[in-house]
């Protein structure tokens, strides 16, 4: 392949990738608009649905990076590893470093209120879809260049009274308590557990919708309207940029082939 064709091909391919991602995001936004989002008090148990409202909990947790009091945090830990570029038998050559995901930890849960009712939400790592940037700390600066073992931690949080949107299939409080007793690795603060135990013995709370485990698909740190609008806007931006980059790459490719 001629050297003058490499950059145009890469540009054209990058534009196509952005177009595909934009189309996927646009389809996702449209599919989400078809999912009902009504008052929490009128939600049908077991049906796939959105809820939106303010987050609240009687118990807070301290986030691992910024030590912020919050309702929920998602912590990720990455470790820097070294690898040699070239064959393993080569005594010379360059080393490169890369971050490898070591662990992911979700801690906390909260109630969501919208004026018509209350729902319990216990996010799982796969469900977190926050717009706020992650807070990060690293000990990389404490180690010599290219030394393995550096650790980087990141956190995403939900704060008290923050707007949230949740997508999933809710179950009852009784089903959640049974799930919690069978999955002891779930991290829920003791103050929240005390409140849930009290609600479990309250007949009026038995029908409270609970989003947890496989039944919680997405948890966003935005209201439902802002979340859907944000996905649609991101899709439009990807499509626009993808069209421009693909067109420039195609034009450059045609010119190079002349």
């Amino acid at each position: 392949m001629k050297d003058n064709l490499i950059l145009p091909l890469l540009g054209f391919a990058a534009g196509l990738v952005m177009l595909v991602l934009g189309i996927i995001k646009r389809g996702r936004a449209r599919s989400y608009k078809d999912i009902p989002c009504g008052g929490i008090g009128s939600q049908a148990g077991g049906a796939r649905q959105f809820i939106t409202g303010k987050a609240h909990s009687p118990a807070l947790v301290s986030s691992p990076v910024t030590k912020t009091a919050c309702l929920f945090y998602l912590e990720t830990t990455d470790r820097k590893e070294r690898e040699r570029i070239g064959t393993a038998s080569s005594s010379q050559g360059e080393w490169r470093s890369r971050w490898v995901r070591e662990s992911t930890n979700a801690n906390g849960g909260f109630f969501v209120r919208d004026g018509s009712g209350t729902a319990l939400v216990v996010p799982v790592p796969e469900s977190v879809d926050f717009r706020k940037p992650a807070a990060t700390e690293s000990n990389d600066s404490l180690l010599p260049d290219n030394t393995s073992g550096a650790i980087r931690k990141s956190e995403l949080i939900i704060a008290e009274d923050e707007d949230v949107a949740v997508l999933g299939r809710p179950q009852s409080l009784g089903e959640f308590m049974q799930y919690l007793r069978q999955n002891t690795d779930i991290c829920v603060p003791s103050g929240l557990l005390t409140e849930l135990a009290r609600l479990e013995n309250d007949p009026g709370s038995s029908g409270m919708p609970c989003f947890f485990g496989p039944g919680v698909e997405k948890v966003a740190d935005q209201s439902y309207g802002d979340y859907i609008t944000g996905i649609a806007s991101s899709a439009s931006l990807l499509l626009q940029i993808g069209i421009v980059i693909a067109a420039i790459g195609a034009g450059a490719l045609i010119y190079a082939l002349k």
Side-chain angles (χ1 to χ4, degrees):
M1 182 182 295
K2 296 181 180 179
D3 290 343
N4 63 337
L5 297 181
I6 295 177
L7 286 178
L9 281 173
L10 288 176
F12 182 66
L16 289 181
V17 169
M18 295 185 77
L19 281 171
V20 171
L21 291 175
I23 291 170
I24 292 173
K25 272 204 165 186
R26 184 175 62 181
R28 178 182 166 199
R30 289 176 176 174
S31 68
Y32 281 177
K33 287 182 180 179
D34 295 333
I35 300 173
C37 179
I40 293 174
S42 61
Q43 297 296 301
R48 190 167 183 247
Q49 59 204 254
F50 270 103
I51 62 169
T52 189
K54 298 286 186 179
H56 164 73
S57 175
L60 302 179
V61 293
S62 178
S63 64
V65 175
T66 63
K67 309 305 179 185
T68 302
C70 59
L71 310 184
F72 167 85
Y73 68 77
L74 177 69
E75 175 192 21
T76 56
T77 302
D78 300 319
R79 180 181 296 276
K80 181 173 281 190
E81 293 186 352
R82 298 175 66 201
E83 59 183 6
R84 186 186 295 276
I85 301 174
T87 61
S89 60
S90 174
S91 60
Q92 298 181 348
E94 297 181 356
W95 288 86
R96 67 180 177 186
S97 299
R98 62 190 182 110
W99 291 103
V100 177
R101 181 59 43 84
E102 187 171 75
S103 64
T104 302
N105 177 39
N107 191 339
F110 48 87
F111 297 105
V112 180
R113 295 173 177 170
D114 68 354
S116 70
T118 301
L120 173 68
V121 178
V122 181
V124 295
E126 298 78 18
S127 68
V128 172
D129 194 10
F130 296 173
R131 297 281 80 86
K132 66 169 68 73
T136 303
E137 68 176 5
S138 172
N139 69 351
D140 192 24
S141 60
L142 304 178
L143 300 173
D145 291 342
N146 294 324
T147 300
S148 297
I151 295 293
R152 180 178 64 191
K153 288 190 175 185
S154 301
E155 70 175 28
L156 290 165
I157 69 171
I158 289 290
E160 178 75 20
D161 208 34
E162 188 167 1
D163 287 316
V164 296
V166 182
L167 169 63
R169 299 179 184 272
Q171 299 184 61
S172 68
L173 178 59
E175 289 170 312
F176 170 71
M177 296 302 286
Q178 181 179 2
Y179 177 85
L180 190 61
R181 293 177 181 115
Q182 294 173 347
N183 295 269
T184 55
D185 57 331
I186 298 175
C187 295
V188 178
S190 59
L192 180 57
L193 286 175
T194 300
E195 176 64 10
L196 292 174
R198 184 189 70 79
L199 292 174
E200 186 179 21
N201 295 319
D202 180 0
S205 301
S206 60
M208 181 176 65
C210 299
F211 295 80
F212 61 93
V216 55
E217 297 178 38
K218 295 293 178 184
V219 179
D221 56 346
Q222 295 176 296
S223 66
Y224 168 78
D226 289 342
Y227 182 56
I228 300 301
T229 300
I231 296 174
S233 297
S234 176
S236 297
L237 182 61
L238 281 172
L239 289 170
Q240 293 169 9
I241 296 176
I243 289 171
V244 171
I245 293 178
I248 293 174
L253 185 60
I254 293 171
Y255 179 81
L257 289 173
K258 288 183 178 180

